[in-house]
Amino acid sequence: MRIELNYKSGQSPYLQIVEQIKYAVAAGSIESHDPLPSIRSLAQELRINHNTVAKAYTELERSGIIATRAGKGCYVTDNHSPLKKSARRQILSDAVDGVIVEAFHLKIDHNTYLQVCEERWSAFEKRRKEKRPTKN
Amino acid sequence: MRIELNYKSGQSPYLQIVEQIKYAVAAGSIESHDPLPSIRSLAQELRINHNTVAKAYTELERSGIIATRAGKGCYVTDNHSPLKKSARRQILSDAVDGVIVEAFHLKIDHNTYLQVCEERWSAFEKRRKEKRPTKN
DNA sequence: TAAACTGTACTAATACAATAGAACAGTTAA
DNA sequence: TTAACTGTTCTATTGTATTAGTACAGTTTA
């Protein structure tokens, strides 16, 4: 799990860390109970203040993706999202709406849209299976 | 086309205007060549400074969604996205990746995901057809 | 031309996000 | 206990986003 900061992207470092870790968990690069690099070591590696990493980790903890314990460290959790099914579906629905608005302005047709939706899901699925072949 | 500002959302007013207009165009609530409310009249209606509305309109013009002309007003354009096909598909792909990461952390399964992707597209399509039934 | 409308440009005030430094507190192991 | 590691809290600084006020410029129409 390698985190890289892009200072030209315009996105703040702490948000880049949040996104990359969320992405890595979803893609199976890191799994439940895996330890994350400690706040200070990651900060040193990225040459930023440790509070910037701490802010990213706090945000991830708030989302239920990781757990932090003073003195121990940070770990990926397995119980993401305590929301009930209908609420989770609503959040997804809003996110999909955003993509559809984007697709419309990009003049993308229905078939291409569906194709991309399926392709990308398969790509994530594949990476997760490659990472833990015995568990599936 | 009614724009409403939510001051509790945390999103800045000018971005709310941008999003709502992009959404309205994608949903067919406003169509190509339709006039938008003038900068000053919309500002007065929303009780904000006209430069805030101007900023939103500038952003929309930069995205190729509307055209503004001093003295005349602002109109929805029809030529969105001058990017080539592969680039547009790449942008969509990245946006879909974001949704998939979100879906994973929401513990949403493949079927539900695909169902929502299709459902929401149909909902937009339906609204556009209802708006201009003779054109399709 | 004059008035009333359009959008635009410039400047300044304010608020907030982002980052950093220093000191604090919990955990482990020698 | 002590040392070395963990995360946490507090405060301060910096930079930038956001908004607003004012003055300017283009277009239309009476």
Side-chain angles (χ1 to χ4, degrees):
Chain A
M1 132 114 280
R2 173 150 199 81
I3 291 176
E4 291 182 5
L5 296 182
N6 176 5
Y7 286 99
K8 298 181 221 161
S9 72
Q11 197 180 29
S12 59
Y14 96 90
L15 274 181
Q16 290 186 44
I17 295 170
V18 169
E19 274 203 11
Q20 287 181 41
I21 290 179
K22 281 179 97 164
Y23 190 99
V25 172
S29 306
I30 45 178
E31 302 176 33
S32 295
H33 309 296
D34 279 356
L36 290 165
S38 79
I39 287 179
R40 279 183 176 75
S41 64
L42 181 55
Q44 189 173 20
E45 185 185 328
L46 299 176
R47 299 183 188 197
I48 57 180
N49 189 279
H50 63 266
N51 278 326
T52 303
V53 177
K55 185 172 184 180
Y57 279 21
T58 300
E59 175 75 18
L60 287 164
E61 188 171 29
R62 213 180 47 76
S63 304
I65 292 169
I66 70 171
T68 70
R69 289 258 295 282
K72 296 242 186 173
C74 304
Y75 300 84
V76 177
T77 56
D78 42 15
N79 272 336
H80 311 143
S81 190
L83 285 62
K84 66 166 103 169
K85 196 175 177 183
S86 62
R88 288 184 280 121
R89 191 181 169 121
Q90 183 59 50
I91 292 171
L92 179 70
S93 195
D94 289 345
V96 169
D97 275 7
V99 168
I100 291 172
V101 169
E102 194 68 18
F104 177 86
H105 290 116
L106 288 168
K107 283 196 183 302
I108 282 174
D109 61 74
H110 186 205
N111 283 339
T112 305
Y113 163 75
L114 270 187
Q115 198 182 336
V116 170
C117 287
E118 290 176 5
E119 260 180 23
R120 296 310 303 155
W121 182 283
S122 299
F124 272 81
E125 194 89 298
K126 190 176 167 221
R127 284 178 60 184
R128 284 198 291 267
K129 285 196 174 158
E130 282 169 355
K131 177 71 185 180
R132 36 183 173 175
T134 61
K135 295 184 188 173
N136 292 303
Chain B
M1 135 108 278
R2 172 150 201 80
I3 291 174
E4 290 182 4
L5 295 182
N6 176 3
Y7 286 99
K8 297 181 220 160
S9 73
Q11 197 180 29
S12 59
Y14 96 90
L15 273 182
Q16 290 186 44
I17 295 170
V18 169
E19 275 205 8
Q20 287 181 41
I21 290 179
K22 281 179 97 164
Y23 190 98
V25 172
S29 307
I30 44 178
E31 302 177 34
S32 295
H33 308 297
D34 279 356
L36 291 164
S38 79
I39 287 179
R40 280 182 176 74
S41 64
L42 182 55
Q44 190 173 18
E45 185 186 328
L46 299 176
R47 300 184 188 195
I48 57 179
N49 188 278
H50 64 265
N51 278 325
T52 303
V53 177
K55 184 171 184 180
Y57 279 21
T58 300
E59 175 75 18
L60 287 164
E61 188 171 29
R62 214 181 45 76
S63 303
I65 293 169
I66 70 171
T68 69
R69 289 258 295 283
K72 296 243 186 170
C74 303
Y75 300 84
V76 178
T77 55
D78 42 16
N79 272 336
H80 312 142
S81 191
L83 284 62
K84 65 166 106 171
K85 196 174 176 185
S86 62
R88 289 184 278 121
R89 190 181 169 122
Q90 183 59 49
I91 292 172
L92 179 70
S93 195
D94 289 344
V96 169
D97 275 8
V99 168
I100 291 171
V101 169
E102 194 69 19
F104 176 85
H105 290 117
L106 288 167
K107 283 195 185 301
I108 282 174
D109 61 74
H110 187 204
N111 283 338
T112 306
Y113 162 76
L114 270 187
Q115 198 182 337
V116 169
C117 287
E118 291 176 6
E119 259 180 23
R120 296 310 303 155
W121 182 282
S122 300
F124 272 80
E125 193 88 298
K126 189 176 167 220
R127 284 177 60 184
R128 285 198 291 267
K129 287 198 172 155
E130 282 170 355
K131 177 71 185 180
R132 36 182 174 175
T134 61
K135 296 183 187 173
N136 294 300

